[in-house]
Amino acid sequence: MIIEAILTINPNAQVIVRGDDINTCEIEWHNGTTPIPVADIEAKMVEVQADYDAEEWKRNRQAEYPTLQDCIHALLDGGDTLTELQAKRTATKTKYPKSGA
């Protein structure tokens, strides 16, 4: 998460992070990359986590949606197979509504 926050602030940063706790990790800045204050990294980590959490519904849906192969078979088979597939997609959407919707 630290490296993701750093790269969100500066996508061109050349940096090595040792450790996963912002308070105890070692950050090495390379090739002239301007160091980013720890407080700025911490603030960005909170933002990145909030963005990730807000998209949980997408990850949950994706895990339960029919596979691409299921969709192709349903389209080719038609009839009840296609109706059942659409029912499964609708049930998944209902189970995991979009955030803020």
Side-chain angles (χ1 to χ4, degrees):
M1 170 88 68
I2 297 168
I3 204 75
E4 186 175 352
I6 289 170
L7 294 175
T8 301
I9 296 168
N10 178 359
N12 299 313
Q14 294 188 24
V15 62
I16 295 174
V17 177
R18 291 183 185 88
D20 56 7
D21 182 334
I22 192 66
N23 298 308
T24 59
C25 72
E26 179 184 338
I27 302 174
E28 284 182 28
W29 304 96
H30 293 276
N31 296 326
T33 301
T34 302
I36 300 169
V38 171
D40 292 352
I41 298 170
E42 284 180 302
K44 188 55 74 175
M45 287 171 65
V46 171
E47 270 183 50
V48 167
Q49 185 65 51
D51 290 346
Y52 178 82
D53 292 347
E55 304 243 320
E56 181 180 21
W57 66 272
K58 283 184 184 179
R59 293 185 301 280
N60 289 337
R61 275 189 187 184
Q62 188 172 17
E64 290 192 26
Y65 266 158
T67 66
L68 218 50
Q69 188 175 12
D70 292 339
C71 293
I72 290 169
H73 285 292
L75 287 170
L76 293 174
D77 294 344
D80 289 342
T81 305
L82 187 57
T83 302
E84 290 167 7
L85 180 121
Q86 187 56 33
K88 184 175 181 178
R89 288 185 72 245
T90 300
T92 300
K93 285 182 174 184
T94 300
K95 185 175 178 181
Y96 302 111
K98 286 183 179 180
S99 289

